[in-house]
Every structure is written in C-alpha cells, then in structure tokens.
Amino acid sequence: QISDEVEKLQIDPLIKHPLQNRWCLWFFKNDKSKDWADNLRQITSFDTVEDFWALYNHIQSAAKLASGCDYNLFKDDIKPMWEDDRNKTGGRWLASFDKRGGKLMVDIEKLWLETVLCLIGEGFDEESDIVNGSVVNIRAKGNKISVWIGDYKREEAVLKIGRRFKERLGLPPRFQIAFEAHQDTIVKKGSSAKSRFTI
Amino acid sequence: EDQWSPLNQEGKKQYDRGFLLQFQPDCTSKPQGLPDIPDIVLEKADVRPHL
C-alpha cells in the first residue's frame, strides 16, 4: 500500500488539478452592425487549474479591451444571459468603478482575476452552488464587475456571497456593491435598476 | 480535511488564490482550438504578474 502511495506522489506533477466545475469563457464585443447574440462568442471551456492558466495567458488583458467589450465566465452549462433557465430567477452583485465620480482608482484586470480565481477555486464555500458566473464590462464611463447568482430569493446565501466578493476584491468599507434581481434590471426605468441589497 | 489531492481524488476541489496563482508561470502552452478572435486571442503566452 505504501508503495502505491509513493507511486502516486511521484506522478503528482503530471496530474492536472481538477476544478469542481467546468467553466466557459465568453467574449462580447459591441458591434452595432450585428445582433446582440452574434456579438457574444464562446472562447473555450476548461476544468483544470492548468488549463485555466493556459487560456488566461493567451487572452488579452481585460484592461486592454476596447470600451463596450465584456468577458463572461460561466459554468459550462449556463449561458451568460438573463434568459438562461438558471439565471431567470437570479440576480447579480455589481461593483461599479465609476470614473466620473473618481470613486476608486482600480486595476480592473487584477480585480477581474481575483473574481475569477474565487469562482473557479470554489471560494464561495457552500454558496458556490448558486454562483452561476461573473462578468467584467469595460466601459468608457466606468468599468463594472458582477457576480451572477441563480436564486435571488435565497437572501442569506446572496448576502454571504456579496460579503465574500467584496472581501476578495479588497474593496474599502465605504465602497458599496449592490445586488439587483435580473427581473428588476429588465424592467428598469432610467439607467439603473433598484438594488435589493447593498453592502 | 476533505480537500482533493492526488491521494484523495474524491475530495472537494477547493483552492485558495495563493495555491492557484503558483501555477500561472508554468502554463504557457497555447490551448488547442481557440477561435480566431484577433481582438483577444494572443499567439504567444503573456504571463501577467499579479502581486
């Protein structure tokens, strides 16, 4: 038995580290000559730590994307859109880095990577099962990062996820993040939906 | 401790940021089958340090 274990340890470097979930990275580019859905493209999916880094190291930094572009990272069987069955009853925690207000100078690439590492490493603990994905929006008027959750009615889980998200991004207490249910975002009047919670 | 490892392959696959970050510099082979999206897909690995 001991020799079995020694053998396994020796092949350790050859074993890729499996992730709990398979994830898919999507890219959105705002090309007004095309339909919204045609601007959203799957890049690739992965389910090991090593495959994630190989992908990350071969795509452009979020900070260098043109305004109007997004990266979306979602569990492989969930589309990064409200209409997906797993998103319909959900919502998102939204961190808005408004440039006009000069609220907070941030390295958007670093914050996006922190968010992604939290998702793929199952950093939301027991609440990870209702975390569907995450989005970074690159916009001239201010970048945004959101964490999408599958069920806005599970308030306690939603709040725990929000607190962990804020903590992992290292945001100061005065910087507020807001939770919106997708159904409120769809019917919003004006530029922002009502927030169900803020932290 | 029910963490996945080569010796506990049924364990939970939960990793903290420090553990994940250590693998970044070694994963420089281009994944197969990336779509042709010149806006974002790089030919050569760009290992961006995040400390």
Side-chain angles (χ1 to χ4, degrees):
Chain A
Q1 171 143 28
I2 287 176
S3 72
D4 274 1
E5 299 218 333
V6 168
E7 197 177 321
K8 276 187 186 170
L9 283 174
Q10 283 168 343
I11 60 168
D12 184 12
L14 302 177
I15 301 177
K16 289 182 182 179
H17 293 77
L19 300 173
Q20 190 72 35
N21 286 288
R22 187 172 183 85
W23 299 87
C24 184
L25 186 69
W26 304 65
F27 173 63
F28 177 81
K29 183 181 183 179
N30 187 14
D31 179 347
K32 296 216 164 75
S33 68
K34 294 182 183 166
D35 286 340
W36 184 84
D38 293 334
N39 281 326
L40 182 65
R41 295 185 65 181
Q42 264 180 321
I43 305 172
T44 195
S45 60
F46 57 87
D47 63 2
T48 69
V49 176
E50 288 79 357
D51 291 343
F52 162 70
W53 284 119
L55 171 63
Y56 181 81
N57 289 335
H58 282 88
I59 54 163
Q60 189 60 264
S61 158
K64 291 186 181 168
L65 295 179
S67 180
C69 291
D70 306 329
Y71 281 132
N72 303 259
L73 183 80
F74 275 75
K75 285 177 178 164
D76 196 43
D77 53 348
I78 304 175
K79 292 197 181 76
M81 47 186 78
W82 298 328
E83 295 87 343
D84 190 283
D85 279 344
R86 305 263 299 268
N87 288 323
K88 265 181 189 163
T89 55
R92 62 175 182 170
W93 276 108
L94 181 64
S96 300
F97 305 102
D98 190 335
K99 283 174 187 164
R100 291 166 306 181
K103 266 200 276 188
L104 191 65
M105 290 292 290
V106 294
D107 177 350
I108 195 69
E109 169 69 4
K110 179 180 183 305
L111 295 181
W112 169 238
L113 180 62
E114 294 290 350
T115 308
V116 167
L117 295 182
C118 189
L119 264 72
I120 69 173
E122 305 293 314
F124 295 105
D125 301 330
E126 285 72 38
E127 283 66 43
S128 292
D129 64 317
I130 58 164
V131 174
N132 288 354
S134 182
V135 181
V136 59
N137 308 112
I138 302 301
R139 299 291 181 270
K141 63 183 182 188
N143 301 323
K144 298 174 193 172
I145 297 180
S146 51
V147 171
W148 285 41
I149 296 172
D151 186 352
Y152 73 83
K153 289 180 179 154
R154 282 176 57 184
E155 298 191 357
E156 207 170 309
V158 166
L159 287 167
K160 277 177 86 171
I161 291 165
R163 283 192 286 267
R164 179 62 55 85
F165 175 42
K166 187 169 172 175
E167 173 193 310
R168 287 283 295 248
L169 293 189
L171 299 173
R174 67 185 160 81
F175 185 95
Q176 287 202 325
I177 61 172
F179 184 80
E180 302 166 351
H182 294 318
Q183 62 183 44
D184 299 341
T185 312
I186 293 165
V187 300
K188 73 183 174 184
K189 299 187 178 73
S191 65
S192 59
K194 74 167 179 182
S195 301
R196 301 244 171 176
F197 309 106
T198 54
I199 290 181
Chain B
E1 262 306 317
D2 189 29
Q3 169 66 38
W4 181 91
S5 77
L7 299 181
N8 179 24
Q9 302 214 359
E10 301 304 311
K12 189 164 164 52
K13 299 161 193 110
Q14 190 172 28
Y15 310 105
D16 65 31
R17 67 188 292 285
F19 183 86
L20 293 168
L21 281 165
Q22 68 181 318
F23 296 98
Q24 184 185 13
D26 295 326
C27 301
T28 54
S29 307
K30 189 171 181 177
Q32 305 242 311
L34 291 185
D36 180 27
I37 310 179
D39 288 322
I40 52 161
V41 175
L42 308 175
E43 274 315 302
K44 266 187 63 189
D46 175 22
V47 181
R48 304 182 286 276
H50 296 279
L51 298 173

